[in-house]
Amino acid sequence: MSFDRSIKIAPSILAADFANFGAECEAIEAQGADWVHVDVMDGHFVPNITFGPATCAAIRPHIKGVMDVHLMIAPVDPYIDAFAQAGADVITAHVEAGPHIHRTLQAIRAAGAKAGVALNPGTPAEAVSELMESIDLICVMTVNPGFGGQKFIDMTSKIKALRAMIGDRPIHIEIDGGVDPKTAPSVAQAGADVLVAGSAVFRGGSVSDPAPYGDNIRAIRQAANGTYV
């Protein structure tokens, strides 16, 4: 998993057909997805329940590229090894999910995955200022975590602050929530390079008709790169 700051589109399978996860993962990659984003929710840290390590292990053979696992769970630490063994390339934990985020990030790297840290909308950029040497990705939530399809919350100033904090370190800035061709330009200009999109990617398509996935992915990418008409 080499590092670059080009725009990467990471469809969230939270918006996919749950009965066809493997085929959905193959379809979005074939249609241009760079990463596959897996939203793990526990009904405790966030008010929704999705899937766990067994689902990640089941879809891993269907994903050629990066499996990006976003843990919206608390506690996090007891489950890191299971998600790493399930094939997660990136494991992201919330800074708000426990008292020892530094230890959590160390554990993620020790398990062989890239370490991500997520910030809820109400959490300032400064919350990760002491973690820069321990992280590979910062996920900026642009909705309150828990459900797909929510309205985008403008976090431009936070993204800019994080981009300045990162400097030349090989750390991705990921945006999760409400990303579409209308919102992609502002976050990309602020410094984000990984854009998670659920309904904006899967809308209008299906496993049997995946072409709309490609149209949607291209529209978001072009908007982020400033070439969308």
Side-chain angles (χ1 to χ4, degrees):
M1 186 178 156
S2 59
F3 182 85
D4 70 81
R5 293 198 191 282
S6 64
I7 294 296
K8 289 162 283 295
I9 309 300
S12 167
I13 62 167
L14 189 62
D17 177 359
F18 281 25
N20 282 302
F21 267 156
E24 290 275 45
C25 291
E26 292 174 4
I28 55 176
E29 285 195 323
Q31 291 294 326
D34 301 290
W35 293 11
V36 175
H37 188 82
V38 184
D39 287 307
V40 176
M41 307 183 191
D42 64 356
H44 169 70
F45 180 68
V46 291
N48 194 7
I49 298 173
T50 56
F51 18 78
T55 302
C56 292
I59 64 173
R60 178 72 257 193
H62 300 274
I63 299 171
K64 295 177 182 176
V66 172
M67 185 162 77
D68 175 32
V69 176
H70 178 189
L71 300 183
M72 287 168 271
I73 67 175
V76 177
D77 294 10
Y79 302 98
I80 290 170
D81 285 346
F83 282 102
Q85 289 165 13
D89 295 293
V90 183
I91 297 176
T92 297
H94 274 255
V95 72
E96 307 89 0
H100 305 295
I101 186 63
H102 190 278
R103 177 183 292 153
T104 299
L105 295 167
Q106 285 180 316
I108 292 171
R109 283 186 167 176
K114 297 288 187 182
V117 62
L119 299 173
N120 283 336
T123 302
E126 291 72 24
V128 297
S129 62
E130 300 302 318
L131 302 173
M132 287 293 146
E133 306 310 320
S134 303
I135 49 180
D136 303 291
L137 176 146
I138 303 169
C139 176
V140 178
M141 296 301 300
T142 42
V143 297
N144 285 297
F147 297 96
Q150 297 185 70
K151 186 179 178 183
F152 179 82
I153 302 170
D154 186 2
M155 290 285 138
T156 307
S157 59
K158 185 190 293 188
I159 299 164
K160 289 179 178 177
L162 289 167
R163 186 66 195 86
M165 215 181 281
I166 288 168
D168 61 1
R169 296 179 180 91
I171 299 173
H172 296 290
I173 297 179
E174 178 175 77
I175 306 301
D176 188 353
V179 172
D180 60 25
K182 292 180 180 177
T183 56
S186 63
V187 296
Q189 288 163 14
D193 65 286
V194 182
L195 306 184
V196 175
S199 52
V201 166
F202 287 95
R203 186 180 295 118
S206 65
V207 166
S208 58
D209 179 26
Y213 297 167
D215 294 339
N216 295 336
I217 289 167
R218 281 188 293 277
I220 297 167
R221 193 188 310 278
Q222 289 168 0
N225 286 324
T227 58
Y228 183 67
V229 178

